[in-house]
Amino acid sequence: MVLCVDGKKQSLSAFAIPEMSLSSARTEMKKHSFSVTVSASDMLARLAAPYDAWVADSKKDDQLCAEPQDELAEAGYPALQQVLAMPNLLELVVGHYLFGELVRPLIWNGHGPIEYWFDQVTSCRSTGIVVEVAGVCFSRR
């Protein structure tokens, strides 16, 4: 897995997902673009169990509400391998629902300095071999 910030490779251990939104802190921070690139096979291995758990919980929500609650439900909860070929679902699943699950084992672990704080994912795409998640992060000025 590779992290790039503003087009330059960075250490994943210096990237953190804050517990809460950066909200007002953004005004005192510097905005950056980031991308995380991971092989599709690595992504599938890392997200298989979290995806299955997400699907199980989502199906329960669908039953309680008596209708599908998102695009993933409307698509019939395809296998994660199939999601790779569905751009809108890939961004929803990997870019939003499970981004933390994908990167958390390799990013800042509570030790050492944080250089970049995750803010949001803006896109997610797959070539079938590689998955790239792009978004916005911030650093101290």
Side-chain angles (χ1 to χ4, degrees), residues 19-93:
E19 296 276 327
M20 298 171 51
S21 168
L22 294 175
S23 59
S24 61
R26 289 184 195 115
T27 61
E28 298 176 10
M29 300 178 89
K30 183 177 179 184
K31 185 177 181 179
H32 302 274
S33 61
F34 79 87
S35 66
V36 172
T37 306
V38 59
S39 71
S41 60
D42 190 21
M43 186 218 70
L44 291 169
R46 290 176 181 277
L47 295 183
Y51 179 74
D52 290 345
W54 185 272
V55 167
D57 285 344
S58 293
K59 285 181 178 180
K60 289 176 188 174
D61 290 345
D62 294 347
Q63 288 175 344
L64 289 172
C65 297
E67 64 183 14
Q69 297 300 297
D70 63 11
E71 294 172 64
L72 187 61
E74 290 170 357
Y77 297 105
L80 188 55
Q81 175 74 42
Q82 293 173 302
V83 169
L84 281 173
M86 305 168 132
N88 60 327
L89 293 184
L90 181 67
E91 185 169 335
L92 180 68
V93 172

Side-chain angles (χ1 to χ4, degrees), residues 2 33 64 111 113-114 139:
V2 175
S33 61
L64 289 172
H111 303 345
I114 299 172
S139 67

